[in-house]
Amino acid sequence: MTVEMQPSINVKIAIEDRRAARSFRPDTITPAILEEIFRLGLRSPSGYNLQPWRFIVLREQESKEKLKACAFNQRQIGEAPVVLICCGDRSVNQPEYIESVIQLGKDVGAMPDVLADVMRQAIPNMFDSPASFKSAETWTNRHTMLAVAHLMIAAKSLGVDSCPMEGFVAAQVKEAFQIPDEIDVCCLLPLGYAAEPFKKYGGRFPTEQVCFGESYKQPFKI
């Protein structure tokens, strides 16, 4: 059953207040809140709606300690009530998977036959001759990290903190959690309630330093 919940924090505040939590309180995340985090976070966009993200959800302390040993014993993993192993699936270019995405679109009235035919041809071609990425892993990582960002913002809007982590040995994680060869580990995401003090806001470069107008390094002004 889908649980409809209203965010406790609006999106603007959730983005402004989100920090990478370095330590977590032992408080659990209720099933209803966790369900809503996934419901909102998995609305993330993906090319051709392929949704290549896969998440292993760890809630048992034994599992978290096993992951912690693969991640340089960082304490967030052992403290957070929920930890996600965020992965990208390179097999989403297979015909049977493409058909499942097409059927998903048809079920909600969003997949005309002409689009279905385009997807059957374009998706395999995209992976065989990529123009904007060098490997399938690059493509799946891009889209998985979009979903991770959505999950973090959705979580914060419901009062749940997070900490995206790249500090782990991927081969060890894959072996410890029986992750197939075609699945790549992108990041780890502890979820929970941060223990104070919160990490201070580190600042961001101004818009005019990172945004350019019309061509690279050309000044941009709002």
Side-chain angles (χ1 to χ4, degrees):
M1 180 180 67
T2 301
V3 178
E4 294 290 343
M5 301 179 64
Q6 292 298 320
S8 59
I9 302 173
N10 67 39
V11 172
K12 178 179 181 295
I13 295 174
I15 291 172
E16 291 177 341
D17 287 355
R18 187 207 60 77
R19 300 286 184 277
R22 300 305 183 190
S23 182
F24 290 89
R25 306 198 307 267
D27 311 49
T28 60
I29 302 173
T30 65
I33 289 177
L34 187 59
E35 180 180 4
E36 185 71 351
I37 289 171
F38 280 115
R39 189 185 74 82
L40 294 172
L42 298 183
R43 294 291 294 266
S44 178
S46 60
Y48 293 104
N49 199 31
L50 288 174
Q51 305 167 59
W53 45 75
R54 305 289 183 263
F55 300 96
I56 303 173
V57 184
L58 307 183
R59 290 182 285 186
E60 298 293 335
Q61 193 61 35
E62 181 180 358
S63 298
K64 289 184 283 184
E65 291 300 327
K66 183 167 63 172
L67 179 61
K68 184 178 176 182
C70 303
F72 309 107
N73 292 311
Q74 295 178 84
R75 69 180 188 180
Q76 300 99 308
I77 294 172
E79 291 180 351
V82 176
V83 181
L84 308 183
I85 303 176
C86 309
C87 305
D89 185 350
R90 283 179 274 109
S91 69
V92 296
N93 64 337
Q94 297 303 304
E96 60 273 19
Y97 187 86
I98 295 170
E99 290 302 322
S100 72
V101 174
I102 289 171
Q103 187 60 51
L104 182 66
K106 288 183 176 180
D107 290 343
V108 296
M111 182 60 64
D113 290 341
V114 64
L115 177 56
D117 289 339
V118 167
M119 289 176 62
R120 291 184 181 106
Q121 180 176 356
I123 294 169
N125 289 342
M126 177 181 71
F127 279 84
D128 289 341
S129 302
S132 66
F133 55 92
K134 292 184 177 181
S135 69
E137 181 179 358
T138 299
W139 189 89
T140 55
N141 277 4
R142 286 178 181 175
H143 293 81
T144 298
M145 294 308 293
L146 282 173
V148 170
H150 275 67
L151 285 167
M152 289 191 294
I153 295 169
K156 188 61 182 179
S157 75
L158 295 163
V160 176
D161 298 295
S162 61
C163 182
M165 301 174 67
E166 294 181 289
F168 58 89
V169 181
Q172 293 179 4
V173 176
K174 294 189 71 167
E175 180 179 1
F177 293 91
Q178 298 83 52
I179 300 174
D181 289 341
E182 68 274 13
I183 308 297
D184 304 301
V185 182
C186 301
C187 77
L188 310 179
L189 187 66
L191 295 168
Y193 300 95
E196 295 182 356
F198 289 98
K199 180 184 178 182
K200 291 185 177 180
Y201 174 59
R204 294 294 187 272
F205 292 118
T207 303
E208 57 269 22
Q209 184 172 339
V210 298
C211 296
F212 308 113
E214 312 307 329
S215 64
Y216 197 74
K217 287 297 183 181
Q218 295 302 307
F220 170 73
K221 297 292 183 181
I222 298 290

